[in-house]
Amino acid sequence: MAGPAFRAAAVRVRTPATSANLGPGFDAFGLSLGLYDDVVVRVADSGLHVDIAGEGAETLPRDENHLLVRSLRTAFELLGGQPRGLEVVCANRIPHGRGLGSSSAAICAGIVAARAVTIGGDVRLDDVALLELATEIEGHPDNVAACLLGGFTVAWTDGGAARAIRMKPADSIVPVVFVPGSPVLTETARGLLPRNVPHVDAAVNAGRAALLVEALTRRPELLLAATEDRLHQDYRTPAMPQSIALVNRLRADGVPAVISGAGPTVLALVEDGAADKVARLAGEGWAANRLSLDDAGTSVLPLGS
């Protein structure tokens, strides 16, 4: 079987930040946010050149160990073979190690770029296969589903295969993120979770997760009740006490606030008119940002846009 042919022109891929869990939807719910990384990939005659600007520019590897490069390589194998060389330019805006899906953004950028520079790549690697591949690399589908599809996603595995559905959040909802100065490793946050939880807590989370689908898509006035969690957030307090304290303080003031993904970023989902006021509530030590909701997911864009 002949190997793949590659486009001579570079491709530009934009990937959004994401917030997983959203309170009760542990390892299932994801929300795509209007904060983006951009990657330009070009097939070269030989070698590998990686250039990084923005977040992680001082710490990320510029070789085959870069997560985006590893994702490119994995996708190229499924597409039929590796190109002779690669040039990769990254403009990173998503904070690393803060629970905003920076690793999912890198994975999705890599696999979508590989498909885009491969002639006939969308036939060899369709959208269902993209989600399955991204999940295989990441280890769970919640962030990558939202990153690929945009909007509000519910992800699950069926017979070992990743699946997801996408819904449109209510237009009036505005995400406000409170990003602390120091990261928390996802492995650290996950390591604090117990193997078993009380049945009553699991029952509460099931009900709140179901309610959150209605609250996020049609009835934002229910978000405070719908974002209650008993399954994971409190258990993570030793790794991020300031984040849990901020969540509790915001919720006591009636603000629907949760830990974003594995933390330590705090996400508030508020009505448009209250977003600026809420952004001022965190105090020192937090970078508060009012974001938009992303509707597009991972996109291949013209180079000049």
Side-chain angles (χ1 to χ4, degrees):
M1 181 178 176
F6 301 105
R7 305 185 192 281
V11 299
R12 176 187 172 199
V13 177
R14 170 165 286 182
T15 50
T18 52
S19 182
N21 303 329
L22 309 180
F26 183 70
D27 275 4
F29 289 176
L31 189 65
S32 188
L33 305 174
L35 177 66
Y36 302 95
D37 285 351
D38 283 284
V39 175
V40 175
V41 174
R42 187 178 77 86
V43 172
D45 291 333
S46 63
L48 170 67
H49 176 78
V50 179
D51 186 31
I52 304 169
E55 296 285 340
E58 303 301 322
T59 58
L60 291 174
R62 286 169 166 77
D63 56 21
E64 298 286 348
N65 293 311
H66 193 297
L67 178 58
L68 190 149
V69 175
R70 288 190 276 123
S71 301
L72 279 164
R73 296 298 192 193
T74 302
F76 281 131
E77 284 300 317
L78 290 179
L79 290 162
Q82 300 291 332
R84 294 186 301 274
L86 284 173
E87 295 178 358
V88 180
V89 179
C90 307
N92 295 341
R93 303 175 189 89
I94 303 170
H96 288 201
R98 303 302 200 281
L100 288 170
S102 61
S103 63
S104 292
I107 291 166
C108 294
I111 63 177
V112 170
R115 184 173 76 168
V117 299
T118 303
I119 296 173
D122 55 346
V123 175
R124 298 191 186 203
L125 192 63
D126 63 17
D127 289 347
V128 173
L130 272 185
L131 176 60
E132 292 180 356
L133 177 58
T135 301
E136 179 182 338
I137 298 171
E138 174 78 332
H140 45 89
D142 48 0
N143 281 104
V144 293
C147 189
L148 286 171
L149 302 177
F152 166 48
T153 56
V154 181
W156 70 98
T157 56
D158 187 3
R163 298 289 182 262
I165 57 172
R166 178 191 182 281
M167 290 166 278
K168 179 175 173 54
D171 291 334
S172 62
I173 296 174
V174 175
V176 179
V177 294
F178 303 90
V179 184
S182 299
V184 170
L185 293 175
T186 299
E187 293 80 3
T188 301
R190 281 189 172 267
L192 292 170
L193 301 180
R195 294 182 63 86
N196 300 290
V197 297
H199 186 277
V200 64
D201 290 344
V204 167
N205 262 58
R208 293 299 193 270
L211 181 62
L212 185 52
V213 174
E214 175 75 4
L216 263 176
T217 57
R218 298 200 301 178
R219 298 184 62 185
E221 70 273 13
L222 297 175
L223 278 169
L224 182 61
T227 50
E228 180 185 355
D229 167 72
R230 298 189 186 181
L231 202 61
H232 65 101
Q233 291 184 161
D234 285 346
Y235 294 110
R236 289 169 161 166
T237 299
M240 55 193 87
Q242 292 85 5
S243 298
I244 298 297
L246 178 58
V247 167
N248 292 338
R249 179 157 58 84
L250 290 171
R251 294 186 67 84
D253 288 339
V255 178
V258 298
I259 296 295
S260 180
T265 291
V266 172
L267 169 72
L269 299 170
V270 299
E271 295 279 359
D272 189 7
D276 291 337
K277 178 181 177 181
V278 169
R280 294 192 292 267
L281 294 178
E284 294 184 3
W286 300 88
N289 296 291
R290 170 181 172 153
L291 301 177
S292 60
L293 292 167
D294 170 75
D295 194 51
T298 299
S299 305
V300 179
L301 301 176
L303 282 175
S305 64

